[in-house]
Amino acid sequence: MGPAEVKALQGDALARIDAAGDLAALDALRIEWIGRRGGRITALMKAIPSVAPEERSAFGQAVNALKAAVQDRLDARKAALEQSEAKLPGVDVTMPGRRLELGRLHPITRATREMVDIFGRLGFEVVEGPEVEDEWHNFVGLNIPAEHPARDPLDNYYLKDHVLLRTQTSTVQIRVMEKRKPPVRVIAPGRVYRPDTVDAGHSNMFHQLEGLWVEEGVTFADLKSVLAMFARAFYGPSVRTRFQPGYFPFTEPSAEMYLSCLLCGGSGCAACKRTGWIEILGCGMVDPNVFEAVGYDPEKVTGFAFGMGIDRQAMLKYGIHDIRWLFENDLRLLRQL
Ligand code: DAH
């Protein structure tokens, strides 16, 4: 056998190695070609010394080259087969991955966070209170006596005698003042519950944000400036505010704050019932009876409080026309924002 035949053998060997379908078939080829006993290339190597001296060098080089090429190809094919046999059956690792959808904040969460941020800059700390309340914190401490219409069992979710789901976050005013000495400057966001008939503007569960600032020398001017600053920060610098006298048992004097209508700018439209103004919150100077209920001295400290519906603010700000949409878990609502 001359160098040319050895070369031809190489083509055959490499083609069969490439075609080996699994590791067992490949091992059989290894034995056939370079097996220590009886391998075809091994036999050629053993034959080198018996080749005629003038041909020996060329023959030897050809056989060595053949062996190296076969060994290389066996190694490469082995690595490839090992990798594909290690794969889990039925898994195509070249398939594109599953896309993770990025979530969004619910409008109420967004509005709440923005309010917390704005009042935070004005020095208000966030506090929380329980949703299951007693009559002391929901009514009595807030100067709402037993005969007051707000205490009608039909207007409240009573869980058992004297225990109900809170109807307002004003409960947290009492809880905070019972625990702390003045000065107090807090906001309390949270859920409240009322057995109202559900419609576009009413839900029997909704959210309020309560505010309370008590300290020596706090005045109605502080109340107006804090709430006007809030309105401009939350709704934009061009919004105007108006205060109108109102009544709440726990504040004296009491007021309602109105915004110039966000839709028509004040000229009058359907959204503001042609008045140009939209009411957004109740507020007032903390009633001395409330201070006495929590052990504060009304001769020493004064304070103001306010409460607003977070859901209503979110609806106004984001243009949501029906409060029920906020609680239906329809993802289309979230995707719009
Ligand atoms: N708690 C009142 C309500 O649910 C809102 C409110 C009005 C809160 C005046 C206040 C306030 O703190 O001073 O209608």
Side-chain angles (χ1 to χ4, degrees):
M1 192 188 283
E5 281 99 332
V6 172
K7 263 238 149 70
L9 223 48
Q10 179 169 326
D12 181 37
L14 299 187
R16 288 178 57 202
I17 290 167
D18 286 343
D22 55 34
L23 288 169
L26 191 68
D27 204 45
L29 284 169
R30 185 185 60 75
I31 291 164
E32 177 184 338
W33 289 93
I34 56 172
R36 224 173 295 158
R37 269 180 285 142
R40 292 170 68 178
I41 296 173
T42 317
L44 290 175
M45 305 210 38
K46 284 187 183 145
I48 294 173
S50 54
V51 174
E54 61 277 21
E55 287 171 16
R56 196 178 299 151
S57 161
F59 181 76
Q61 276 172 23
V63 172
N64 278 322
L66 170 65
K67 188 180 179 198
V70 167
Q71 182 72 63
D72 275 0
R73 192 64 65 97
L74 281 168
D75 291 347
R77 185 71 191 141
K78 188 170 182 213
L81 285 173
E82 274 172 353
Q83 207 185 33
S84 67
E85 286 183 16
K87 271 183 208 159
L88 292 173
V91 173
D92 179 355
V93 296
T94 65
M95 248 165 68
R98 204 175 297 163
R99 187 182 287 271
L100 282 183
E101 270 201 70
L102 203 55
R104 281 184 207 168
L105 293 178
H106 190 279
I108 292 173
T109 307
R110 256 176 75 163
T112 306
R113 288 196 185 173
E114 202 169 321
M115 289 171 178
V116 165
D117 183 59
I118 293 167
F119 283 110
R121 279 183 264 144
L122 294 166
F124 286 79
E125 169 199 351
V126 177
V127 291
E128 281 181 306
E131 292 174 20
V132 174
E133 263 299 5
D134 51 48
E135 290 177 319
W136 168 259
H137 293 97
N138 203 81
F139 300 123
V140 183
L142 287 164
N143 200 30
I144 306 174
E147 63 279 7
H148 194 280
R151 295 186 58 169
D152 188 327
L154 293 176
D155 288 333
N156 296 282
Y157 284 118
Y158 269 92
L159 303 177
K160 58 180 192 184
D161 275 356
H162 313 301
V163 177
L164 71 160
L165 294 178
R166 69 179 176 194
T167 56
Q168 50 186 354
T169 46
S170 305
T171 54
V172 187
Q173 290 187 36
I174 303 301
R175 287 190 171 273
V176 168
M177 289 191 284
E178 280 173 333
K179 268 202 254 123
R180 301 187 190 178
K181 297 258 153 288
V184 162
R185 203 191 307 179
V186 295
I187 50 171
R191 291 198 181 101
V192 299
Y193 302 83
R194 292 179 193 177
D196 287 339
T197 304
V198 175
D199 62 25
H202 298 86
S203 165
N204 53 0
M205 182 283 300
F206 58 100
H207 302 74
Q208 287 189 332
L209 184 114
E210 192 80 13
L212 175 70
W213 182 346
V214 181
E215 201 167 332
E216 278 177 43
V218 175
T219 68
F220 202 89
D222 297 315
L223 178 158
K224 285 186 75 171
S225 55
V226 162
L227 292 178
M229 271 190 271
F230 161 76
R232 284 196 295 271
F234 192 76
Y235 289 103
S238 61
V239 81
R240 284 169 294 134
T241 49
R242 193 188 81 182
F243 289 80
Q244 178 173 301
Y247 172 77
F248 298 100
F250 34 89
T251 44
E252 181 61 35
S254 303
E256 274 127 22
M257 186 171 89
Y258 289 74
L259 292 182
S260 52
C261 178
L262 301 167
L263 286 183
C264 63
S267 56
C269 67
C272 58
K273 302 199 186 92
R274 322 242 156 251
T275 63
W277 297 95
I278 296 179
E279 191 222 313
I280 66 155
L281 59 82
C283 58
M285 300 306 290
V286 178
D287 194 291
N289 288 342
V290 172
F291 283 143
E292 270 160 20
V294 298
Y296 280 17
D297 181 355
E299 297 299 326
K300 263 190 88 180
V301 292
T302 51
F304 69 81
F306 56 90
M308 63 179 105
I310 298 176
D311 319 62
R312 285 199 53 198
Q313 319 289 315
M315 289 167 71
L316 276 175
K317 184 161 170 154
Y318 307 129
I320 299 165
H321 304 304
D322 191 317
I323 193 170
R324 292 169 293 194
W325 297 346
L326 292 170
F327 309 119
E328 282 173 348
N329 284 336
D330 188 331
L331 288 180
R332 288 176 300 177
L333 179 88
L334 300 176
R335 290 206 182 98
Q336 285 181 88
L337 295 173

